Amino acid sequence: MIHVEHLTKYYGDYPAVRDVSFDVSKGKIVGFLGPNGAGKSTTMRILAGYINATSGQATIDGKDVFWDPIEARRRIGYLPESCPLYTEMRVEEYLRFRGGLKNMGGQERRTRMEYVIERCWLKDVRRQLIGTLSKGYRQRVGLADSLLANPAVLILDEPTVGLDPVQIRETRKLIKELGDQHTILLSTHILPEVEMTCDSVILIHQGVVAAQGSIGDVRNQHGNQSLEEIFVKITGVTE
Ligand code: ATP
């Protein structure tokens, strides 16, 4: 469903992503791990069509993100690391507006809005101004937006960052449930989160894929160490 081949991104002279290749099969939840500055957000922004790669190829459900960007984007729901929202809009007003931008209208938009409001626990705040919401609720609005058009693929950049422990638990549960209907690439720093939520992992360090596979396979390849031990060994970073 997500196919990435020899992806490279330079910011000026700096190679943020170097020759990255991976595949995510339909219906899988894949954890995209790496220390700060490893290149996770850069890779995700390229997949979501926000920035161009310097070289390499990426396809979403067979649609090339460079050559067929509109079709590729139609298949993606993207939650960026810091989700830009219109703070002067009310939650449902914002979702209606976003649905319009996604070419949704009429009954389809109404049905999907109700679904995401329910699914992302936004019922109590649906008429509240986004600017008055807490960080956790804003994150839920971003997640609701990414789910709105029922995309085949969800790209979630640190979806639990800044949430309180209860919200983190709810969000992990939601992501796990969403895995039944969507293919999910999820970046996080929280290693137990990956163990709880994901089928497999891609560990990226200094722009290069350092390990990938099912959690069991990656652990087997490293003497059955925990993901945390493997992460520290590869990156030298204690998370
Ligand atoms: P984090 O977990 O901290 O969000 P990340 O793995 O998502 O990190 P990226 O945001 O992809 O990492 O950044 C990869 C590298 O590219 C970093 O060294 C970062 O400073 C650099 N970088 C990111 N965006 C830009 C930019 N627009 N211009 C120049 N350098 C950038």
Side-chain angles (χ1 to χ4, degrees):
M1 187 58 89
I2 306 175
H3 175 68
V4 172
E5 210 174 307
H6 304 303
L7 206 66
T8 293
K9 172 70 182 177
Y10 276 86
Y11 292 116
D13 292 338
Y14 181 72
V17 171
R18 292 185 282 159
D19 201 24
V20 162
S21 299
F22 61 83
D23 279 292
V24 181
S25 320
K26 190 173 177 186
K28 294 288 178 207
I29 307 179
V30 174
F32 200 27
L33 285 175
N36 290 126
K40 303 179 298 293
S41 297
T42 300
T43 306
M44 290 179 139
R45 280 191 208 120
I46 294 170
L47 291 177
Y50 276 58
I51 55 172
N52 285 327
T54 308
S55 61
Q57 200 202 4
T59 59
I60 305 290
D61 195 16
K63 304 294 173 192
D64 194 297
V65 300
F66 314 116
W67 300 109
D68 205 355
I70 294 173
E71 283 305 314
R73 273 195 217 189
R74 242 182 222 148
R75 288 160 171 77
I76 291 181
Y78 173 48
L79 175 69
E81 198 174 358
S82 38
C83 189
L85 297 168
Y86 291 109
T87 50
E88 74 285 4
M89 278 188 174
R90 294 179 195 281
V91 171
E92 58 183 17
E93 188 186 357
Y94 175 73
L95 291 173
R96 195 174 304 113
F97 164 71
R98 292 289 298 164
L101 291 183
K102 294 173 200 224
N103 278 329
M104 300 167 76
Q107 189 56 42
E108 183 206 8
R109 180 166 60 176
R110 278 194 292 278
T111 309
R112 284 301 297 175
M113 273 181 62
E114 287 312 312
Y115 172 79
V116 299
I117 285 172
E118 171 89 40
R119 211 71 182 79
C120 300
W121 311 283
L122 289 167
K123 267 170 124 173
D124 296 343
V125 298
R126 60 189 298 159
R127 293 195 180 83
Q128 200 168 318
L129 285 174
I130 290 174
T132 66
L133 294 177
S134 67
K135 161 99 184 143
Y137 273 96
R138 288 186 197 203
Q139 195 78 342
R140 293 178 191 190
V141 175
L143 194 58
D145 175 30
S146 70
L147 273 174
L148 196 56
N150 199 14
V153 172
L154 288 172
I155 295 183
L156 309 176
D157 199 351
E158 301 194 26
T160 57
V161 80
L163 303 188
D164 69 35
V166 175
Q167 292 169 335
I168 289 176
R169 234 176 127 157
E170 286 174 342
T171 305
R172 279 183 195 153
K173 186 165 169 275
L174 173 62
I175 291 170
K176 190 108 184 113
E177 287 169 12
L178 291 173
D180 288 345
Q181 287 164 32
H182 307 266
T183 301
I184 303 176
L185 183 65
L186 158 84
S187 85
T188 178
H189 292 280
I190 307 164
L191 300 168
E193 183 157 301
V194 172
E195 273 164 335
M196 276 182 248
T197 322
C198 300
D199 303 301
S200 54
V201 289
I202 299 162
L203 173 55
I204 183 170
H205 177 46
Q206 295 177 342
V208 178
V209 174
Q212 65 173 312
S214 72
I215 294 175
D217 284 351
V218 168
R219 291 191 57 197
N220 275 343
Q221 286 157 16
H222 293 84
N224 223 19
Q225 288 180 306
S226 69
L227 272 188
E228 188 172 348
E229 287 166 326
I230 296 166
F231 186 99
V232 172
K233 190 172 77 181
I234 290 177
T235 66
V237 176
T238 314
E239 284 289 76

